[in-house]
Every structure is written in structure tokens, then in C-alpha cells.
């Protein structure tokens, strides 16, 4: 499986992929921004919700 086909990200991986800090990431999670899944005690964020978030960010004027 390649990195492009990864379906789930652990929180630290998702933070790194988005380039956001810990506090901002969990603020977004609590706001319901991402599709969060549990597998046992582990938390995962779906790749699709990360992509959707990034695609919906406003474009820069610069």
C-alpha cells in the first residue's frame, strides 16, 4: 500500500500531513471537522476527511 492509498491516519500523522499544531488539530476534531474512527482504543482520522478539509480551505490572495 502506498502513502497515497492510505485510508486512515493516526492523530500525529494527520497533524503532520496538515502542518498544524496539536492544539489546533484537536480543536478541529472537537468541532467535528474530521471523520474520526476508533479501532479498539486507537483513534484514526479518515484520509477523505483530511482531503476534504484541505480542499475547502480558502485560496490565498498572494
Amino acid at each position: 500500500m502506498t502513502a497515497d492509498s492510505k485510508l486512515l491516519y493516526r492523530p500525529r500523522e494527520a497533524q503532520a500531513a496538515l502542518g498544524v499544531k496539536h492544539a489546533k488539530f484537536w480543536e478541529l476534531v472537537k468541532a467535528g471537522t474530521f471523520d474520526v474512527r476508533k479501532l479498539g482504543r486507537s483513534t484514526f482520522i479518515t484520509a477523505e476527511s483530511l482531503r476534504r478539509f484541505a480542499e475547502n480551505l480558502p485560496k490565498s490572495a498572494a
Side-chain angles (χ1 to χ4, degrees), residues 38-59:
K38 295 290 277 186
L39 180 59
R41 292 173 43 187
S42 298
T43 300
F44 294 94
I45 313 302
T46 64
E48 181 57 35
S49 68
L50 293 175
R51 271 190 221 96
R52 191 171 43 247
F53 172 76
E55 289 170 356
N56 288 320
L57 288 173
K59 292 186 180 184

Side-chain angles (χ1 to χ4, degrees), residues 4 8-9 11 22 30 33 36 43-44 46-47 54-57:
D4 292 336
L8 299 171
Y9 289 84
H22 179 85
K30 288 178 184 174
T33 303
V36 180
T43 300
F44 294 94
T46 64
E55 289 170 356
N56 288 320
L57 288 173

Side-chain angles (χ1 to χ4, degrees), residues 18-32:
L18 294 172
V20 298
K21 303 271 184 189
H22 179 85
K24 181 62 174 178
F25 175 77
W26 287 107
E27 178 184 318
L28 292 167
V29 168
K30 288 178 184 174

